[in-house]
């Protein structure tokens, strides 16, 4: 790819100036005369029957236009299982669930009225973990599980708290265990947490006089909002218009559909008037969907030389009170359940379990940071028992071309990244062979930990993306596609692709950022690190379509065959004699001959890509094709532990990722560093603190701790470039992969320093102390 002029160059994000100057507009910025505002009343209980809702005092507040309860909307929602009411009815199933909505002239008025609504509850027994949920006498979160509508491949167990189960079966387990000289078993756990995106979720809804429903939303998936609102409310999708401006971070949390539904029924209750709802930070953390929790058990058998011969894995995902996307997250984890290791004999059960926790949405990595933590802690345990270097154990077992995935797909050099090269580079960057544990002084110990990861996209088999390109009279181009700009810079990279194909300056490419489902070509969802892959393929097809039209017109003007022409630098020229040329600006709106005759017209290129060869997974065997490629990464963390109080510093974090082809180096590096920071935060401090009644005690950023300025370690990022032949310019996914192995690598380093296995997240100093001291209580 040495001939590339734009791809591989670090150009600034096209939206940067708008964002740094404050000109960029978000959904929450929408202000109009006559707009009404909605606020929610939420449950202080995690599980309780709703006895009575008294709204009489709230109605006395001047400016209140409507008050909605569960009695006003019988619709059940949820992408995987339709089990969730828009507003709780009969009972609440998690702390923070919406029980009433007030619509008023101002936000302050709505809030005041909400405070005057009196809700009487009858508390019910709480299911506070997957382990509790699976007990034979556990309270049922959903008594009517068998009656709900379900998506294809979702297998529930009515009469239990198992929302879904998928099984992966490969090889012969008895043979695998018989060949094992060494067997280890580990368990890991962590509870749900938050995405903590900078922008809280928001939505604006209006029902116009012609019956069309207009939604503006801070969503990663505006076309999914259109699709599912049509399904839930039995509305013709053509009458649903969704707009999305810039989105201030999503990380999967804004792929779920929630506030759009609230805004719509609120608008309907006030005669179709425009209604706006914006989450407070506290509401965004507990009322809207969060990051899934997990309890897992991994049992590995290996030969004396360290070759894994059998694996038995049980994943119990904490899907929270409603299924929504959690069973799909579990399905994605099941498909890649072994991590990037070649294991011939495999047994895996992957369960999504109802609890009385906030329900889960997608989270950066989509089940893979979770499964990777479980697998990598088991790999470290096996290395310890075999007295084998953890790096060497991994190298003896990592997948290579010719191996078979857990879903029984043959891996090759195109659909599998080069993990061996990633690990070779990591070994050098982290200076693994120099030392892994060393004492700094009488109290401080430094240690390093490593992890390996892989991820398939695990998207819908029919997911697609479209793009439209058009010209301006000066020969510059406009690019429109359905990818939502959530901070990733994807649309800048798409502009680079278009500029590369057109052989023009990327400054001549103008990108439209807001999404409008009536005019923007559809893009499945801005998730799964698929924007560059799918939209990139669509943009290149649109460029080729535009080029074909340009060549047809230029061929008539220059009196040559279209095959004799080439495009570049704003001109169409004859390959054999480049001096014979015509400017694109002179033909992109058609061409007029001196006598007035005209040919052609405005050139508009269109392109579409739909994912190929993917299939649903068989829920009983796991057989199927989850996606086009498996992208890989090797990561490491160096820490310093103070054994006096078990506080520690994260000194250095390293990621080596097979990028296929780095399209924009600075953007790629920034994406990976941001993901690494997010992964370390998840591992090191970010968690909901539930009491024994399922109530969250840290639902503010004052108590829910994120990395602060000055706390970040040194980040080192490198890329391997082993192209995926199906991807545009060979580029592999990057957006999530910096996060996936970070929790496991941090746990590995800290375990090595403390001398005990640390298998529960987050890795608070108190947890390290408890584990080392075998303490049973939280304090002395």
């Amino acid at each position: 790819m040495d001939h590339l002029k734009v791809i591989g160059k670090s150009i600034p994000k096209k939206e940067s100036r708008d964002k740094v100057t404050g000109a960029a507009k978000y959904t929450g910025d929408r202000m109009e005369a006559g707009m009404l505002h909605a606020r929610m009343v939420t449950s202080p209980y995690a599980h309780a029957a709703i006895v009575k809702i008294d709204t009489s005092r709230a109605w006395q507040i001047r400016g209140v236009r409507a008050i909605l309860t569960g009695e006003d909307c019988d619709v059940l929602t949820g992408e995987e299982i339709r089990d969730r009411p828009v507003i709780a009815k009969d009972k609440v199933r998690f702390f923070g669930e919406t029980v009433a909505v007030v619509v008023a002239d101002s936000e302050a008025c709505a809030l005041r009225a909400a405070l005057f609504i009196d809700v009487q509850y009858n508390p019910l027994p709480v299911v506070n973990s997957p382990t509790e949920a699976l007990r034979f006498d556990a309270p049922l979160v959903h008594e009517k599980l068998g009656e709900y509508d379900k998506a294809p491949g979702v297998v529930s167990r009515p009469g239990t708290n198992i929302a879904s189960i998928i099984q992966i079966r490969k090889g012969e387990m008895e043979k695998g265990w018989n060949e094992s000289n060494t067997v280890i078993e580990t368990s890991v756990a962590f509870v749900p947490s938050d995405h903590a995106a900078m922008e809280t979720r928001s939505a604006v809804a209006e029902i116009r006089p012609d019956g069309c429903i207009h939604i503006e939303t801070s969503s990663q998936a505006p076309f999914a909002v259109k699709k599912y609102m049509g399904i839930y409310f039995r509305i013709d999708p053509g009458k649903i218009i969704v707009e999305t401006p810039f989105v201030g971070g999503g990380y999967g949390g804004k792929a779920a559909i929630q506030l759009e539904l609230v805004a719509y029924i609120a608008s309907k209750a006030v005669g179709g008037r425009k209604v706006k709802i914006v989450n407070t930070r506290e509401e965004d953390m507990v009322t809207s969907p969060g990051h899934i929790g997990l309890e897992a058990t991994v049992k590995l058998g290996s030969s004396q030389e360290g070759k894994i011969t059998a694996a038995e894995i049980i994943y119990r995902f904490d899907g929270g009170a409603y299924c929504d996307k959690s069973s799909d997250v579990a399905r994605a984890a099941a498909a890649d359940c072994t991590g990037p290791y070649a294991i011939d004999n495999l047994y895996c059960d992957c369960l999504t379990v109802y609890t009385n926790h906030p329900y889960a949405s997608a989270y950066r990595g989509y089940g893979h940071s979770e499964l990777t933590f479980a697998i990598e802690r088991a790999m470290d345990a096996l290395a310890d028992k075999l007295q084998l270097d953890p790096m060497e154990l991994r190298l003896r077992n990592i997948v290579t071309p010719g191996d078979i995935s857990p879903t029984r797909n043959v891996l090759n050099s195109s659909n599998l990244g080069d993990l061996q090269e990633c690990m070779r580079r990591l070994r050098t960057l982290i200076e693994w062979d120099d030392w892994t544990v060393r004492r700094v002084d009488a109290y401080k110990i430094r240690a390093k930990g490593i992890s390996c990861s892989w991820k398939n996209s695990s998207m819908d088999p029919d997911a697609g993306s479209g793009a439209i390109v058009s010209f301006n009279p000066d020969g510059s181009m406009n690019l429109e596609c359905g990818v939502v700009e959530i901070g990733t810079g994807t649309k800048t990279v798409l502009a680079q692709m278009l500029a590369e194909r057109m052989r023009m300056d990327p400054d001549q490419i103008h990108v439209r950022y807001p999404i409008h489902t009536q005019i923007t070509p559809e893009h499945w969802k801005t998730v799964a690190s698929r924007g560059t892959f799918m939209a990139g393929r669509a943009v290149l097809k649109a460029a080729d379509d535009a080029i074909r039209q340009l060549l047809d017109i230029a061929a008539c003007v220059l009196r040559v065959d279209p095959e004799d022409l080439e495009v570049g630098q704003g001109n169409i020229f004859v390959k054999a004699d480049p001096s014979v040329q015509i400017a694109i600006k002179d033909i992109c709106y058609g061409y007029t001959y001196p006598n007035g005759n005209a040919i052609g017209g405005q050139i508009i290129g269109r392109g579409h890509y739909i994912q190929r060869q993917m299939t649903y997974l068989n829920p009983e065997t796991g057989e199927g094709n989850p996606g086009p490629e498996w992208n890989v990464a090797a990561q490491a963390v160096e820490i310093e532990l103070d054994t006096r109080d078990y506080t520690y510093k994260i000194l250095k974090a390293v990621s080596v990722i097979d990028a296929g082809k780095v399209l924009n180096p600075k953007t790629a590096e920034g994406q990976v560093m941001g993901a690494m920071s997010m992964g370390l935060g998840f591992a090191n401090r970010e968690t909901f603190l539930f009491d024994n009644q399922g109530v969250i005690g840290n639902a503010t950023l004052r108590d829910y701790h994120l990395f602060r300025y000055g706390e970040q370690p040194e980040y080192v990022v490198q890329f391997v470039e082993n192209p995926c032949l199906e991807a545009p310019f060979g580029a592999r996914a990057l957006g999530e992969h910096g996060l996936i192995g970070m929790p496991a690598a941090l746990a590995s380093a800290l375990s090595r320093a403390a001398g005990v296995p640390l298998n529960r997240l987050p890795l608070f100093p108190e947890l390290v102390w408890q584990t080392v001291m075998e303490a049973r209580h939280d304090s002395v």
Side-chain angles (χ1 to χ4, degrees), residues 305-621:
E305 295 74 30
K307 177 61 180 173
I308 299 173
T309 55
E312 183 177 306
I313 305 166
I314 310 294
Y315 293 124
R316 297 174 290 274
F317 279 98
D318 184 346
Y322 300 104
C323 185
D324 203 60
K325 293 300 297 178
S326 56
S327 65
D328 198 49
V329 172
R331 185 185 299 115
D336 291 340
C337 61
T338 59
Y341 303 108
I343 302 176
D344 293 331
N345 305 297
L346 170 65
Y347 177 105
C348 175
D349 279 356
C350 196
L351 290 76
T352 304
V353 181
Y354 285 123
T355 65
N356 291 122
H357 290 163
Y359 67 102
S361 178
Y363 180 86
R364 199 172 190 174
Y366 210 63
H368 286 73
S369 62
E370 296 82 1
L371 79 88
T372 299
F373 181 69
I375 294 296
E376 292 298 293
R377 298 308 299 129
M379 291 296 287
D380 273 3
L382 181 58
D384 288 344
K385 190 163 185 179
L386 290 170
Q387 297 184 328
L388 192 63
D389 181 283
M391 179 80 74
E392 184 58 36
L393 176 66
R394 286 164 172 82
L395 286 168
R396 293 182 187 184
N397 289 282
I398 57 175
V399 286
T400 56
D403 288 328
I404 308 296
S405 75
T407 51
R408 305 185 199 178
N409 304 110
V410 179
L411 304 172
N412 57 54
S413 59
S414 173
N415 68 18
L416 177 67
D418 190 346
L419 186 52
Q420 287 181 314
E421 176 61 17
C422 291
M423 293 193 69
R424 186 189 69 77
R425 298 239 199 127
L426 182 78
R427 189 172 207 145
T428 301
L429 291 170
I430 199 65
E431 299 174 329
W432 182 263
D433 293 329
D434 293 350
W435 62 273
T436 56
V437 182
R438 72 179 184 189
R439 183 168 287 279
V440 178
D441 57 31
Y443 301 108
K444 294 180 180 178
I445 300 172
R446 289 192 177 183
K448 301 170 185 174
I450 59 171
S451 68
C452 296
S453 62
W454 70 348
K455 182 182 184 297
N456 203 300
S457 62
S458 305
M459 57 206 284
D460 288 353
D462 60 348
S465 184
I468 293 174
V469 299
S470 59
F471 288 88
N472 299 305
D474 61 355
S476 64
M477 297 188 73
N478 306 307
L479 169 60
E480 175 138 6
C481 67
V483 174
V484 178
E485 185 49 67
I486 56 176
T488 58
T490 303
K491 286 196 170 179
T492 299
V493 169
L494 296 175
Q496 286 182 262
M497 291 185 185
L498 179 58
E500 187 69 58
R501 184 58 60 93
M502 298 299 300
R503 297 185 183 177
M504 64 193 298
D505 190 321
D507 287 340
Q508 291 291 98
I509 307 295
H510 305 290
V511 179
R512 175 181 160 84
Y513 286 95
I515 306 300
H516 189 298
T517 59
Q518 230 177 13
I519 57 177
T520 306
E522 183 162 342
H523 178 76
W524 171 61
K525 297 177 184 178
T526 307
V527 297
S529 301
R530 290 292 86 186
T532 297
F533 188 104
M534 295 199 306
R537 289 287 298 262
V539 167
L540 292 178
K541 285 187 177 182
D544 290 342
D545 186 29
I547 290 171
R548 177 187 58 78
Q549 296 175 60
L550 286 171
L551 297 185
D552 285 344
I553 296 175
C556 293
V557 176
L558 300 177
R559 304 183 190 282
V560 295
D561 195 279
E563 281 74 22
D564 296 332
L565 298 173
E566 189 63 89
V567 62
Q569 300 306 313
N571 298 306
I572 306 294
F573 58 86
V574 177
K575 296 176 186 176
D577 184 3
S579 65
V580 180
Q581 60 180 251
I582 187 168
I584 287 177
K585 66 183 180 62
D586 293 335
I587 60 173
C588 62
Y589 275 74
Y591 179 79
T592 302
Y593 289 96
N595 67 357
N597 288 346
I599 59 173
Q602 182 185 13
I603 291 176
I604 301 173
R606 62 185 180 91
H608 187 269
Y609 177 77
I610 191 165
Q611 190 58 62
R612 297 182 292 114
Q613 298 178 331
M614 285 181 59
T615 63
Y616 295 114
L617 297 187
N618 183 322
E620 295 180 358
T621 65

Side-chain angles (χ1 to χ4, degrees), residues 1 3 22 49 75 123 201 206 222 278 306 324 350 472 488 557 586 590 700 749:
M1 296 189 183
H3 65 285
V75 170
R201 298 164 177 90
E206 177 186 19
V278 180
D324 203 60
C350 196
N472 299 305
T488 58
V557 176
D586 293 335
T700 71

Side-chain angles (χ1 to χ4, degrees), residues 188-194 291-294 373 646 648 650 678-690 698 703-707 742-744 746-747 750 758-771:
V188 304
F190 49 86
V191 301
S193 55
D194 188 43
H291 174 205
I292 205 165
L294 175 68
F373 181 69
Y646 294 97
Y648 61 94
I650 305 173
M678 193 170 178
L680 289 173
F682 159 39
N684 160 265
R685 60 185 69 188
E686 292 184 43
T687 187
F688 284 140
L689 301 176
F690 294 95
N698 61 332
D703 304 308
Y704 183 98
H705 295 293
L706 306 170
F707 270 123
M742 280 290 110
L746 177 59
L750 198 52
L758 298 167
N759 295 339
R760 180 177 288 274
L761 297 179
L763 297 163
F764 291 135
E766 187 174 21
L767 173 69
V768 182
W769 170 80
Q770 285 178 321
T771 308

Side-chain angles (χ1 to χ4, degrees), residues 40-45 49-61 67-69 99-102 110-122:
M40 296 179 288
V41 179
T42 60
S43 169
Y45 296 95
I50 299 172
V51 178
K52 181 182 179 182
I53 300 178
D54 184 356
T55 63
S56 57
R57 288 199 303 157
W59 275 112
Q60 295 173 15
I61 304 298
I67 298 176
L68 302 169
T69 68
V99 295
V101 175
V102 178
L111 175 59
R112 188 180 178 203
L115 294 174
F116 278 110
I117 293 177
D118 181 31
V119 185
Q120 295 180 23
Y121 299 94
N122 181 18

